[in-house]
Amino acid sequence: MPQKYLRYFSLLLLVVLVILLAKYIHREGKKAEYLAQGERFYQIHCASCHGPKGEGGRGPTLAVPRLPRAPTKKLLKRVIRSGIPGTEMGRSSLSEEQISQVAAWVDHLGQALPGKVMPGNAERGEYLYFTKGNCNQCHAIKGYGGALGPDLTEIGLSRSADYLRTALIDPEADVPTNTLPFRFDVRIPNNFLQVTTVMKNGQSITGVRINEDTYSIQVRDSSDRIHSFFKSELVELHKDWGKSPMPSYRNVFSEEELDDVVAFLVSLRGER
């Protein structure tokens, strides 16, 4: 190739490379700006439950490679847009563009952070759950166990390890304190309420409200017995918002045993 054509070719190649680099920088800049917007909306609307970095809290951990309830971006946007019926995840007031930005940021969280390594042993935790902890007296897994406390079959999908550990040592740390009426379409924990009833003969029953309307209330006691009362027949009805009948396991389990039980609870994702 003649020397002058070689110079032209080199110059043309340099121009093309500069154009491609400029387009790449522009595209990456737009992507970074898009993610920054998603992070901003996430911190405002999502971080209080799911943690500033998606590490979980009242809501499940989002900094994972695959979200069990939203494995695709389409499903993730649907969950953000419509919430999950019967849970604390409500509908979003964000626009479609903002929802897409939040979904992009949540997806980024799963790629940016490695999965958290659980310190405990889930198999030992399962043994402790059914023996020393006697947790199945009040909680059910796949239909086996008591019904006084929340069903734990899928607790690993809805609560982080840190949240579960706190719940074990301080059960009243996050008991709902709202005073909204009982809702038939909402499951525990939003409906959770400890009540004490006193009848005209002086008999007192303490348990968890499982149903209530204007005239009556139904209560499940610690032995799993269900009691139904007409409110007109009661001389006292105490609603203990923020209280829990669950004992603290702070002095029941050692630190290592707590790690084991938490590891077991986190492993409960409905498929066991």
Side-chain angles (χ1 to χ4, degrees):
M1 179 181 292
Q3 190 66 26
K4 66 175 183 180
Y5 292 118
L6 184 60
R7 286 201 300 271
Y8 291 148
F9 179 76
S10 299
L11 181 61
L12 179 62
L13 180 61
L14 179 61
V15 170
V16 170
L17 288 175
V18 168
I19 292 174
L20 290 176
L21 180 60
K23 286 186 175 180
Y24 173 78
I25 293 174
H26 177 73
R27 186 172 63 249
E28 290 301 305
K30 296 290 287 185
K31 182 180 177 181
E33 182 182 342
Y34 195 78
L35 283 176
Q37 283 289 86
E39 181 184 13
R40 188 168 72 86
F41 291 121
Y42 174 89
Q43 297 299 338
I44 295 172
H45 298 278
C46 316
S48 60
C49 289
H50 296 287
K53 297 182 179 179
E55 68 272 30
R58 293 190 66 186
T61 301
L62 300 182
V64 292
R66 183 176 182 275
L67 295 170
R69 284 182 168 168
T72 66
K73 286 187 178 179
K74 182 178 180 180
L75 290 175
L76 176 57
K77 288 195 283 187
R78 180 187 298 175
V79 169
I80 297 172
R81 181 188 306 110
S82 306
I84 301 176
T87 72
E88 296 164 272
M89 180 74 185
R91 295 178 60 85
S92 172
S93 59
L94 295 172
S95 68
E96 282 300 311
E97 175 69 7
Q98 292 166 340
I99 287 172
S100 295
Q101 290 170 335
V102 173
W105 178 250
V106 172
D107 185 57
H108 173 76
L109 289 174
Q111 299 172 19
L113 293 177
K116 185 175 182 179
V117 178
M118 297 298 302
N121 181 296
E123 290 187 6
R124 287 200 302 264
E126 181 174 11
Y127 176 77
L128 291 166
Y129 174 94
F130 286 105
T131 55
K132 190 175 183 179
N134 196 26
C135 308
N136 60 311
Q137 179 180 343
C138 297
H139 297 279
I141 298 174
K142 287 193 171 183
Y144 176 71
L148 185 66
D151 186 298
L152 301 181
T153 304
E154 296 183 343
I155 194 65
L157 293 176
S158 59
R159 296 289 188 250
S160 69
D162 291 340
Y163 183 97
L164 293 169
R165 188 182 182 88
T166 299
L168 283 167
I169 61 178
D170 186 6
E172 295 181 349
D174 193 38
V175 174
T177 56
N178 69 73
T179 55
L180 296 174
F182 181 85
R183 288 180 54 187
F184 295 97
D185 60 332
V186 173
R187 297 179 300 179
I188 289 174
N190 271 5
N191 267 332
F192 186 87
L193 175 62
Q194 177 175 293
V195 299
T196 298
T197 61
V198 181
M199 291 169 282
K200 292 178 180 177
N201 62 5
Q203 184 181 3
S204 176
I205 300 291
T206 296
V208 174
R209 178 184 66 176
I210 57 174
N211 198 1
E212 182 181 9
D213 58 28
T214 304
Y215 306 103
S216 67
I217 187 168
Q218 287 73 50
V219 178
R220 187 190 303 275
D221 67 20
S222 58
S223 62
D224 247 4
R225 291 185 58 192
I226 297 176
H227 306 265
S228 183
F229 306 99
F230 285 109
K231 292 180 179 177
S232 59
E233 297 175 344
L234 300 174
V235 293
E236 293 182 34
L237 174 57
H238 300 283
K239 295 185 175 182
D240 302 321
W241 297 101
K243 296 294 182 182
S244 171
M246 177 175 164
S248 170
Y249 284 85
R250 187 188 303 273
N251 298 319
V252 176
F253 293 136
S254 67
E255 288 297 312
E256 184 179 6
E257 289 173 336
L258 278 171
D259 288 340
D260 293 339
V261 175
V262 169
F264 169 61
L265 294 175
V266 169
S267 75
L268 297 176
R269 296 172 178 261
E271 71 274 12
R272 285 176 64 92

